[in-house]
Amino acid sequence: MRKQTKGSLHLRMVDLWCQKWNLQLLLCLTGLLQWDLCSGQIQVQIQKGPLYRVKGYPISISCNVTGFTGPSNRDFQFILKKPNVELNMISTSDPDFAYGMFSDRIRNKEIYIQRLSGSSVLLTIKNLLENDAGDLLCETLHTGGAYYGDYAAETKLNVIADTLEASYSGSPSQSLSEGDPLQLECQVSSQTFQHTHLSVTWFLHGEEDEIPRPIITLDKDLTVKPGAGFEDGYRAGLISMDKVEDTTYRLKMPQVQQSDQGKFYCKAIEWIQDPDRSWTQIAHKTTTACNVEIKRIVAPDAGSFSVYLKASKGPLQEGDALDIRCSVNAQNLPGHFFSVTWLKNQQKVAQIGSSGVLTMFDSYKERENAAEMRAVKTSHTDYLLTIRSARAEDQGQYQCEVWEENMNEDGTYKKIQKEMSSPETVSITAKESDLAVVMEMKDAVTEGDALRVFCSVSGFKGPLSVSWQHKKDSGASFSDVISLTHEGVMRDVGARYQSRNVQTFHSPAGNFILELGASATSDSGEYKCIVSEWTVQSNGEMKKANTKSQQKAIIVNSVESLMKVSLKSRTTNVPIDSPVELLCTVRGPKVSLAVRWMFQPRNSTVQTNILSISHTGEITWKADQRNYQLSIQQPSDTHFTLMVPRASKQQEGQYQCQVDAYQKDVQKAKIISNPLAVIVQKLVSKMSLYSPTSRLETTVNTDAKLECSVTRTTTDTSRFTITWMFGSQMLLTMDLDAVVKFGPAANLEMDQRIRMEIRQKQDFQLIIQQVRTSDSGQYHCEVEEWLQDPLGDWYSLKKMSVSKELVVKEKASDFKMNKSNTQLKVEEGKQLMLKCSVEGIGSDSTLRYSLTWMFNQYESSSVALLTYSHDGRLKYNSFDSELEGRLHFSTPEVGVFHLTIHRSIQEDRGCYYCQVQQYQLDCKGQWSPKAGDKSGFTNVTVQLIENNLHVHKEEQSLNISNLQAGFTIDCVIESRSSDASVFEVTWSRGQRNEGPVIIFNASRHGTLHSAIDDKDLVFGHPSAMHYKLTVPNVNPTDTGLYHCQVVEWIQTAANKWRKIGEDMSGKISVHEDTEERQKNVSFAMDKNGKHLFIKEGEQFDLECFLDVGKEDPTHHYSLRWVFNRPESTSGIPLLSYSYDGRLQYHTENQDRLRFSRPTSDTFHLAVLNSDIADSGSYQCRVEQYQLDCEGQWKPMARDQSGSTIVTVRSIESKLRVQKDNRTLNITNHQAGFTVDCVIDSQSSDKSVFEVTWFKVQEEEGSVTMFTARRDGILHSAISYTYLVFGRPLATHYKLTVPQINPTDMGQYYCQVEEWLLTANTWKKLDSDKSGVLSIYVHTEGDSEKQTEPLGMALGVTIPLICFLVLVIILLLRRAHKRNSELKKKKDCLWAENNPLSPMPEVTPAAGDHS
């Protein structure tokens, strides 16, 4: 508005200046003004809506922008707006702009943007979906500067259903001759709710046409347009198109030509007019084609002619028109005369002479007179015989007989030659009757109402009769109900309907009606209406001409099925003394109702009646009428309202209403409503208590007064019960009537010293006379508020309490503890001394002290280490038995306590303090607590022993000349970390191009182990820190680099070994000084490395190959297999194989090693049951020995193989147990059931299983029943039931429970554990559970449990008889045993006189064990 005002002001100024200046200045100013008003105004325009488009068809929407400055190309983006959400569709600048629902369609080019110009785009959606409907927003992106104008515009897009239909129902092909007429029809319709127009086009697709050619079009504005190439035929009347009725479009071509041959079809297009007044195509459909063949007529030779006959095509019925056309083809046709005769079955029908005279033969004359037949010459060549209403006798074989004639001078004609057409057969069938029957009735009626069935008849000409039939269900047959003759007489009433009010009649509107009064549910089923049409015969009698029938199902609903009774209330949870309104709503047919209100109190199983209303209106009260009110309303549904004006706790419970329906005093239904629980709540208590102080201190032999006051009550009529508690025991209580009773805490001595007074209505005071120190403690005053409900019952509200601590002191005490906190550091293994002292003890001999020493380990709660009682008793409460053995307690003087912890360890670090209680001896000789206090904290830190291990590292080089002397490797420890530590010393040797290998180990326990089997190494330990190893009888294989490695260990107080440190000595290089050298190295090793990947538990094989060239019997070989763990400095020897055949294992896992020598140059090592710890590098080292002339084996050469890297991987768990849940209902107690446990998959073929069956009980949860362990041992955890175990397959276990009883009811499942043997240890891979098998045991008396006198007598008599029989059996067995013993005393004691009877073996079924 501001800009418009400014513009109008400028215009007025221009008008003023125009009077003074010339026209050029005026035009210049006007142009500047217009540029100022309009430039820079951004305006986005989109196609105006709303737009209606059909689902599944394409749409294109244009969008452009004007008034912008800057770059000529603008970016656009389209957004689909729906209620509460905006969905990004597509953008010209951002490929990731679209949401997921559009991205796939954009990627498939189903949605795209076409740029028309820099400022104009066209959005195209190829296939519209329903979800594309909404407000489509087109916006252009802001390119910078100030916002000015409209950057977005939107239009509404509606996606409607495709209702356009187009079909061709004629013959799929036709065969015509040149000059024959062609008529085709197609049906087109649309049910679109919007206003649309249709256009229909007929197309011809000839054999030589690349694309179909439009013949003629009826456009959307109802104008007819011929297609290209068909204009002349249209103007000559040889092509036309008519719209017949609303949906039929007919193409007519009176004389087809050879060029018209091809496929004819029609295409329908639906159009809608958009808001911009333009017409847009929104849908199109194409029909199936009709293939039209046109035969060419060959012109005869001069002087001859030919005749063709053409009859009406298609199936003909009586009454249809029959055309029989005769065509004569001759040259110079106008100069000839022809006589044409139509023949049927060689009999003449009609003739047109050369002069044009028509002659009808025989009975056809009458039909011509009745205008049923006619024959005409339609052109020079065509003669047409027409039967307007064909009869059945008109069918037969037709021919045309044509005579060529010349005219004589007297005007007569002379026949010259004759031609006959080919015969053509015409078939005419009897016309089907138009009689139609339609049944109309309700799908359902209500029991007691009249049942009416209507049968509407159309297309009849004569009188009608009807028969009604009925069947109950699809499997039954129809039975007669009643009939109505064509004379209007009812008869043939069915047997079931003799006593029923049944009738049928014919209404004036032409409908037949069947009526059953007071329908019953048995009247449900299918009804059939059979209508017959009658005609009058020539003899005057009536004849049934045609019969039609129809059947339809109907349901007669019982009153009970239609009635719905519901009980509801808005006041189901109310306070006492509030109203409760219960609404019983009855929906259903209008019948007489009887109502009964029922009530079941809370926590009761007995239901009582409140009141009853009979269907005649009488009311009977069963409860106190003063407590209830009743009302009845009948708007559409019937509402019975029961009101409780003032609810009480007695009226809390479950309510129900029972409704009985009556028709003519006969009960038709009885329905009980849903139960509705009414909760009557107590009033919310407003009571509050007050106590002056929470602590009362006094001295002995004084009176203590403890007050308890109610400062606020819920109502003015509230009453109270008061209970005083001393600790957790009741001291005394006062009821609602102010009667006081003493409790267990008030003993005979105390109840004489206590009393309770009510100073005011709501103030209660407990008085304790002559208090003693034993009276000290917590006193609780519990107050419970009571109110009276409308029925006079007292009920309690909230219970509240206040506490007061009574402290009775003898006299002031100066007892206190040392509160100072200290820090204490101790070295691991040293003694720790803790001190706790009491200050200001004095010399009072009546005082003693008890103490508890507490320990708070870091990040844990405090625990008691020990307790020292005032009477001298000492009790260790240690949570650790090992720690208890290291504790030492002492009390050197009164009030001074010491705690010593020997051999301190890291776990002893933490916070220590003590709690002390002072006791005093009273006049009665009893020790009573007087005071207590807690000391300060002592924070203890245990320092670990530092690593101070150092081994002598002098490098040496030894040149051995005396082979018998040998050499010694010293291992000298220069310093150690602790005097209590021990050492583990290991010597290793490394030879040329080989890694070091352990040759000897002296463990910390004193165990010695040598890894060299061909000589005895000598170990020495001359001093505590000096170890030595001597290698005697040196040979060339003993050369190399030697060193020792020392590991320092210390045993903590917890009997655990801890490694303090480790160090390695210097290396000693040993050389042999001898004249003999390796001359000829006659073998070599395979140096290629390998990598093996093994699954845990599997076996892996290692091989060592020698390339010896030529075999020499004087050469033998020794071998050593060495294992190196990852990140290890020395190899571990696994085994040694000597040149003389001795085999020695050097590892504790030797039972998993399998060594073999399959050939002289091949060594094989198998490792069984692999473990993760077996991962590492494996290498074999071989030495060659040769037999000299003196019979001695001497080492000649050595070599080593390449390394085999072995990686042992953990097995991936694949254990799966079938989890099908099943349910079994068992009634035969002799039968049993089986719990199957089927393993679908396992982790390893070498794994074994342990299966356990469980039973789930409600109270105890899962209980173990039976276990089949992995080692094959079976264990049953249930002694009262015989269980049968089976294993039909390796992965199929089953457990059978025979002779089931009611206690076996529950849920059963099995649990499978999968185990694998690795490195001589069993490893659990996984576990899985099966599905649940639910067992329900039904006893015979489940439905009705009744006790009869005879059953009770049998229940007592049968056990008594069984007991007597058992006693008699026991007595007989005892007598028999006594006789047997007497007989044995007489017999010889040798075994042959007392042969043993073998026990019969019970062989279980295959696969079953118990």
Side-chain angles (χ1 to χ4, degrees), residues 1158-1174:
T1159 62
S1160 61
D1161 56 356
T1162 303
F1163 300 91
H1164 181 271
L1165 177 63
V1167 182
L1168 310 179
N1169 302 328
S1170 60
D1171 188 67
I1172 302 297
D1174 295 332

CSV table of all heavy atoms in Angstrom, one decimal, residues 1158-1174:
chain,number,residue,atom,x,y,z
A,1158,PRO,N,58.1,-92.5,9.2
A,1158,PRO,CA,57.7,-93.4,8.2
A,1158,PRO,C,58.7,-93.8,7.2
A,1158,PRO,O,58.7,-94.9,6.7
A,1158,PRO,CB,56.6,-92.6,7.5
A,1158,PRO,CG,56.9,-91.1,7.8
A,1158,PRO,CD,57.5,-91.1,9.1
A,1159,THR,N,59.7,-93.0,6.9
A,1159,THR,CA,60.8,-93.3,6.0
A,1159,THR,C,62.1,-92.9,6.7
A,1159,THR,O,62.1,-92.2,7.7
A,1159,THR,CB,60.7,-92.7,4.7
A,1159,THR,OG1,60.7,-91.3,4.8
A,1159,THR,CG2,59.4,-93.1,4.0
A,1160,SER,N,63.2,-93.3,6.1
A,1160,SER,CA,64.5,-93.0,6.7
A,1160,SER,C,64.8,-91.5,6.7
A,1160,SER,O,65.6,-91.0,7.5
A,1160,SER,CB,65.6,-93.8,6.0
A,1160,SER,OG,65.7,-93.4,4.6
A,1161,ASP,N,64.2,-90.8,5.8
A,1161,ASP,CA,64.5,-89.3,5.7
A,1161,ASP,C,63.3,-88.5,6.0
A,1161,ASP,O,63.2,-87.3,5.6
A,1161,ASP,CB,65.0,-89.0,4.2
A,1161,ASP,CG,64.0,-89.5,3.2
A,1161,ASP,OD1,63.0,-90.1,3.6
A,1161,ASP,OD2,64.2,-89.2,2.0
A,1162,THR,N,62.3,-89.0,6.7
A,1162,THR,CA,61.1,-88.3,7.0
A,1162,THR,C,60.7,-88.5,8.5
A,1162,THR,O,60.7,-89.6,8.9
A,1162,THR,CB,59.9,-88.7,6.1
A,1162,THR,OG1,60.2,-88.6,4.8
A,1162,THR,CG2,58.7,-87.9,6.4
A,1163,PHE,N,60.5,-87.4,9.2
A,1163,PHE,CA,60.1,-87.4,10.6
A,1163,PHE,C,58.7,-86.8,10.6
A,1163,PHE,O,58.5,-85.7,10.0
A,1163,PHE,CB,61.1,-86.7,11.5
A,1163,PHE,CG,62.5,-87.3,11.4
A,1163,PHE,CD1,63.4,-86.8,10.5
A,1163,PHE,CD2,62.8,-88.3,12.3
A,1163,PHE,CE1,64.7,-87.4,10.5
A,1163,PHE,CE2,64.1,-88.9,12.2
A,1163,PHE,CZ,65.0,-88.4,11.3
A,1164,HIS,N,57.8,-87.3,11.4
A,1164,HIS,CA,56.4,-86.9,11.5
A,1164,HIS,C,56.0,-86.7,12.9
A,1164,HIS,O,56.3,-87.5,13.8
A,1164,HIS,CB,55.5,-87.9,10.8
A,1164,HIS,CG,54.0,-87.5,10.8
A,1164,HIS,ND1,53.2,-87.7,11.8
A,1164,HIS,CD2,53.3,-86.7,9.9
A,1164,HIS,CE1,52.0,-87.3,11.5
A,1164,HIS,NE2,52.1,-86.6,10.4
A,1165,LEU,N,55.4,-85.5,13.2
A,1165,LEU,CA,54.9,-85.2,14.6
A,1165,LEU,C,53.4,-84.8,14.5
A,1165,LEU,O,53.1,-83.8,13.7
A,1165,LEU,CB,55.7,-84.1,15.3
A,1165,LEU,CG,55.2,-83.7,16.7
A,1165,LEU,CD1,55.3,-84.9,17.6
A,1165,LEU,CD2,56.0,-82.5,17.2
A,1166,ALA,N,52.5,-85.5,15.2
A,1166,ALA,CA,51.1,-85.1,15.2
A,1166,ALA,C,50.7,-84.6,16.6
A,1166,ALA,O,51.1,-85.2,17.6
A,1166,ALA,CB,50.2,-86.3,14.9
A,1167,VAL,N,50.0,-83.4,16.6
A,1167,VAL,CA,49.6,-82.8,17.9
A,1167,VAL,C,48.0,-83.0,17.9
A,1167,VAL,O,47.3,-82.5,17.0
A,1167,VAL,CB,49.9,-81.3,17.9
A,1167,VAL,CG1,49.5,-80.7,19.3
A,1167,VAL,CG2,51.5,-81.2,17.8
A,1168,LEU,N,47.6,-83.7,18.9
A,1168,LEU,CA,46.1,-84.0,19.1
A,1168,LEU,C,45.4,-83.0,19.9
A,1168,LEU,O,46.1,-82.3,20.7
A,1168,LEU,CB,46.0,-85.4,19.7
A,1168,LEU,CG,46.7,-86.6,19.1
A,1168,LEU,CD1,46.5,-87.9,19.8
A,1168,LEU,CD2,46.4,-86.7,17.6
A,1169,ASN,N,44.1,-82.9,19.7
A,1169,ASN,CA,43.3,-82.0,20.5
A,1169,ASN,C,43.9,-80.6,20.7
A,1169,ASN,O,44.2,-80.2,21.8
A,1169,ASN,CB,43.0,-82.6,21.9
A,1169,ASN,CG,42.3,-84.0,21.8
A,1169,ASN,OD1,41.6,-84.2,20.9
A,1169,ASN,ND2,42.6,-84.9,22.7
A,1170,SER,N,44.1,-79.9,19.6
A,1170,SER,CA,44.8,-78.6,19.7
A,1170,SER,C,44.1,-77.6,20.5
A,1170,SER,O,42.8,-77.6,20.7
A,1170,SER,CB,44.9,-78.1,18.2
A,1170,SER,OG,43.7,-77.9,17.6
A,1171,ASP,N,44.9,-76.7,21.1
A,1171,ASP,CA,44.4,-75.7,22.0
A,1171,ASP,C,44.9,-74.3,21.5
A,1171,ASP,O,45.9,-74.3,20.7
A,1171,ASP,CB,44.8,-76.0,23.4
A,1171,ASP,CG,44.2,-75.0,24.4
A,1171,ASP,OD1,42.9,-75.1,24.6
A,1171,ASP,OD2,44.9,-74.2,25.0
A,1172,ILE,N,44.4,-73.2,22.0
A,1172,ILE,CA,44.8,-71.9,21.6
A,1172,ILE,C,46.3,-71.7,22.0
A,1172,ILE,O,47.0,-71.1,21.3
A,1172,ILE,CB,43.9,-70.8,22.3
A,1172,ILE,CG1,42.5,-71.0,21.9
A,1172,ILE,CG2,44.4,-69.4,21.9
A,1172,ILE,CD1,42.2,-70.8,20.4
A,1173,ALA,N,46.7,-72.3,23.1
A,1173,ALA,CA,48.1,-72.2,23.6
A,1173,ALA,C,49.1,-72.9,22.6
A,1173,ALA,O,50.3,-72.7,22.8
A,1173,ALA,CB,48.2,-72.7,25.0
A,1174,ASP,N,48.6,-73.7,21.7
A,1174,ASP,CA,49.5,-74.4,20.8
A,1174,ASP,C,49.9,-73.5,19.6
A,1174,ASP,O,50.7,-73.9,18.7
A,1174,ASP,CB,48.8,-75.6,20.2
A,1174,ASP,CG,48.6,-76.7,21.3
A,1174,ASP,OD1,49.4,-76.7,22.3
A,1174,ASP,OD2,47.6,-77.5,21.2
